[in-house]
Amino acid sequence: MPQRGKTSPADRLFGALANPTRRDILDLLLDGEQTVQDIADRFDMARPSVSEHLRVLRDTDLVREEQRGRHRYYAVHAGPLVGVRDWLSPYERYWRARLTDLGDVLDDIAGEDAT
Amino acid sequence: MTRTTIELDQFYPHPPDLVWRALTTPELLARWLMRPDGFEPRVGARFTMAAKPIGAVGFSGTVACEVLELVEPELLSFSWDDAAADGPSGWVVSFELRREGRGTRVLFTHRGFDPDSPSAQLSRTMMGNGWPRILAALGAVAATTPRPPE
């Protein structure tokens, strides 16, 4: 086991996802980008609370913001979730690697047969 | 979404006979999977394989297998149990070969994951509100996202 730091990126990611409100926000953003006000209206939440949740999601790179005109738009960025999936599926990762190795062996023996 | 099966689909630009050889020849198995001890290409053959332990899923490192189906050069399946486990896991690994042009498409499945195992429980506890759709979207994204080098 490698030495554990205080919080790894994975810890922060799971921390961000552990909150049901933040998952609701992500769920909403899956329909398309939204402004803070859109999100606040949707959840009947004060803007500062929404902003705080968005900050956590932004820090883990689960959402990205873009300033356009007078508004900031928030959109889902799924990149970090790929890591979650891999983490949840060690066997899938294992078999993917094996099937890739199988391809290499096939290339090798096809070459051996040809000579 | 309780996952009970891993399904992978891989195309190889080689004919099914060659793929079949790599799946059923011990020396070749050793080169891409693990070195089998006792493997024979016949239904009922029992063999073991030694691998690296996978701590995250509590796998000891030795797999005990039995060939369940064998149709040359189309289908190979075998049971897959942790040799150190108390009882059979009910896992079955299968390789289905389909000729596709000059190549072969391999449909791989690893099925029989126990929905009560710790890793399955973990994924279930994470299935509260919002998760099903997020995971569905994630699957679509992951399929098109290049994976980082391991």
Side-chain angles (χ1 to χ4, degrees), chain A residues 4-38:
Chain A
R4 293 186 69 80
K6 260 197 210 142
T7 50
S8 68
D11 291 337
R12 284 200 295 277
L13 187 62
F14 280 108
L17 291 170
N19 181 295
T21 304
R22 287 197 283 271
R23 292 205 296 278
D24 285 340
I25 292 174
L26 282 176
D27 195 27
L28 175 66
L29 293 179
L30 283 170
D31 286 332
E33 57 180 21
Q34 309 267 346
T35 64
V36 179
Q37 193 59 54
D38 293 337

Side-chain angles (χ1 to χ4, degrees), chain B residues 32-101:
Chain B
W32 67 272
L33 182 58
M34 291 177 238
R35 182 166 296 283
D37 184 3
F39 178 85
E40 286 174 64
R42 63 170 175 84
V43 172
R46 289 172 182 275
F47 58 103
T48 58
M49 294 189 284
K52 279 187 202 155
I54 309 177
V57 291
F59 169 54
S60 76
T62 303
V63 197
C65 306
E66 178 180 350
V67 177
L68 300 175
E69 296 167 291
L70 187 120
V71 182
E72 181 179 0
E74 290 168 13
L75 175 67
L76 170 70
S77 72
F78 46 85
S79 60
W80 179 281
D81 289 305
D82 190 332
D86 296 334
S89 60
W91 290 358
V92 175
V93 169
S94 78
F95 299 86
E96 192 185 329
L97 282 56
R98 291 190 189 162
R99 177 180 290 279
E100 199 172 290

